[in-house]
């Protein structure tokens, strides 16, 4: 005995697999964006401007310069003990020799380096134009010999991160369009096989909302299941990466990850609802002759 076809029923395994894959890739792009923003934030927080002091400056003059540096609005807050770090010329020489493995003082007979302050700048000033303005401003202070920072670093990082965001957003959008089209076609084929059942229900007085309900419930269920599976695999992938990639744990932001997973859940449900509604509306408005 043939099983009676139930309205709203159609194979959903392929839809769930396809939607899961798309949501996983979209979520993966989201994680890359979150972690890249965190990386840029860490770089911004650690960017330093080196303020070299005139050799003839006294200890009192250096202290006075420190006070003036602390008053600058672009210097990181005074609560951060490392926002301004004093480096003597002896310390600078040790760092240089440690990096080059050469004792230049023995060759020159003296230490030509200068005492300096390493000043950390606030994130809002992580732009080449602003850093140049900071350099110009600091070089006007009494006792300052020269101000040095890594030129063009800020613009290079900002440009590259913008390109990365554009590429990831474009990829996620393409995946979203492809999966919506795929699901639409799958649902259309499923609804096509039930077009006469839909018309029969209309003839006996069933409203469009009543007919749509089982299809929408299935679409919502598919989106929910797909989002949960995609989120599960994203979390597993992230944990595996943290254990195998050194330093990756510093880029993690649990709150944003939870927010991203919630967005995937909402996106999955919305895709299920929109795709089902679009596919079903055609048959609800179709004349009897067009059904054949």
């Amino acid at each position: 005995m043939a099983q009676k076809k139930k309205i709203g029923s159609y194979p959903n395994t392929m839809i769930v697999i396809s939607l899961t894959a798309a949501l996983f890739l979209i979520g993966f792009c989201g994680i890359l964006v979150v972690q890249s923003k965190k990386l840029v934030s860490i770089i911004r927080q650690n960017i330093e401007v080196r303020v070299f002091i005139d050799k003839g400056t006294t200890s009192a003059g250096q202290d006075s310069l420190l006070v003036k540096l602390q008053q600058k609005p672009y210097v990181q807050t005074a609560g951060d003990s490392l926002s301004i770090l004093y480096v003597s010329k002896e310390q600078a020489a040790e760092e240089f020799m440690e990096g080059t493995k050469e004792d230049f003082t023995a060759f020159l007979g003296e230490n030509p380096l200068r005492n300096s302050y390493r000043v950390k700048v606030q994130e809002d000033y992580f732009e080449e134009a602003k850093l140049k303005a900071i350099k110009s401003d600091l070089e006007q202070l009494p006792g300052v010999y020269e101000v040095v920072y890594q030129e063009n670093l800020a613009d290079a990082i900002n440009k590259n991160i913008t390109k990365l965001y554009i590429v990831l957003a474009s990829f996620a959008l393409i995946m979203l369009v492809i999966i919506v089209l795929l699901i639409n076609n799958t649902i259309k084929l499923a609804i096509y096989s039930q077009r006469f059942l839909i018309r029969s229900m209309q003839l006996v007085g069933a409203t469009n909302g009543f007919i749509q309900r089982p299809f929408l419930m299935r679409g919502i269920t598919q989106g929910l299941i797909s989002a949960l599976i995609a989120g599960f695999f994203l979390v597993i992938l992230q944990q595996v990466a943290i254990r195998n990639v050194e330093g990756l744990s510093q880029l993690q932001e649990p709150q944003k990850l939870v927010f991203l997973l919630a967005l995937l859940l909402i996106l999955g449900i919305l895709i299920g609802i929109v795709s089902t509604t679009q596919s079903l509306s055609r048959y609800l408005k179709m004349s009897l002759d067009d059904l054949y």
Side-chain angles (χ1 to χ4, degrees):
M1 183 175 179
Q3 186 177 4
K4 183 182 293 186
K5 183 177 292 187
K6 184 179 179 181
I7 188 168
S9 62
Y10 53 87
N12 61 3
T13 302
M14 196 62 199
I15 292 178
V16 170
I17 293 175
S18 301
L19 185 53
T20 298
L23 291 175
F24 176 83
L25 291 174
I26 292 172
F28 182 71
C29 291
I31 288 178
L32 289 180
V33 169
V34 170
Q35 294 186 350
S36 62
K37 289 185 69 174
K38 180 66 174 180
L39 177 60
V40 171
S41 178
I42 292 175
I43 294 174
R44 288 175 173 175
Q45 290 172 6
N46 288 277
I47 189 171
E48 290 182 340
V49 174
R50 297 194 177 189
V51 181
F52 292 98
I53 305 171
D54 283 326
K55 288 187 176 181
T57 305
T58 63
S59 298
Q62 292 182 6
D63 293 339
S64 176
L65 176 59
L66 175 60
V67 172
K68 292 178 180 179
L69 289 175
Q70 291 173 337
Q71 294 173 347
K72 295 297 182 181
Y74 43 76
V75 176
Q76 287 187 16
T77 56
D80 183 356
S81 59
L82 297 178
S83 60
I84 301 178
L85 177 65
Y86 175 75
V87 180
S88 66
K89 62 180 183 179
E90 291 77 20
Q91 289 176 301
E94 289 178 5
E95 291 179 0
F96 184 85
M97 287 187 288
E98 189 175 326
T100 61
K101 307 300 180 185
E102 295 182 3
D103 187 358
F104 67 94
T105 57
F107 175 75
L108 297 175
E110 64 173 346
N111 181 1
L113 302 180
R114 299 172 181 271
N115 299 328
S116 65
Y117 285 111
R118 294 180 181 175
V119 182
K120 288 188 176 181
V121 179
Q122 293 186 24
E123 284 189 57
D124 295 340
Y125 293 86
F126 192 70
E127 295 178 14
E128 189 64 26
K130 292 182 178 179
L131 289 174
K132 285 183 178 179
I134 290 174
K135 171 182 169 69
S136 177
D137 181 50
L138 292 178
E139 286 181 340
Q140 296 177 13
L141 296 177
V144 175
Y145 173 76
E146 185 183 17
V147 176
V148 176
Y149 68 94
Q150 287 185 279
E151 295 186 8
N152 300 319
L153 174 65
D155 280 356
I157 292 177
N158 290 334
K159 289 179 181 178
N160 289 333
I161 202 67
T162 300
K163 291 178 181 178
L164 176 63
Y165 291 161
I166 292 174
V167 170
L168 291 177
S170 300
F171 177 76
L173 182 60
I174 291 172
M175 285 302 305
L176 185 61
V177 171
I178 291 175
I179 198 60
V180 168
L181 292 175
L182 178 63
I183 293 176
N184 278 348
N185 290 332
T186 304
I187 294 177
K188 283 179 181 179
L189 291 175
I191 296 176
Y192 178 80
S193 65
Q194 299 188 15
R195 64 193 186 284
F196 293 113
L197 180 58
I198 292 173
R199 176 45 58 97
S200 298
M201 294 185 68
Q202 286 180 321
L203 292 175
V204 297
T207 64
N208 289 346
F210 180 82
I211 297 173
Q212 286 179 328
R213 191 174 299 119
F215 289 99
L216 289 176
M217 290 304 299
R218 174 157 291 222
I220 292 173
T221 302
Q222 290 169 343
L224 182 62
I225 293 174
S226 300
L228 290 174
I229 296 174
F232 172 77
F233 281 114
L234 281 172
V235 172
I236 294 298
L237 176 64
Q238 185 188 44
Q239 293 303 314
V240 172
I242 290 174
R243 293 179 182 179
N244 291 276
V245 180
E246 185 178 357
L248 189 60
S249 58
Q250 298 179 8
L251 304 181
Q252 305 309 309
E253 295 192 77
Q255 292 182 346
K256 291 186 178 180
L257 177 61
V258 172
F259 181 72
L260 177 63
L261 295 178
L263 283 180
L264 285 182
L265 195 66
I266 295 172
L267 182 60
I269 294 174
L270 284 177
I271 291 175
I273 293 175
V274 173
S275 298
T276 303
T277 302
Q278 288 181 343
S279 302
L280 189 58
S281 60
R282 174 187 175 189
Y283 291 97
L284 292 176
K285 299 176 182 179
M286 190 175 292
S287 63
L288 182 61
D289 292 338
D290 292 334
L291 291 178
Y292 295 92

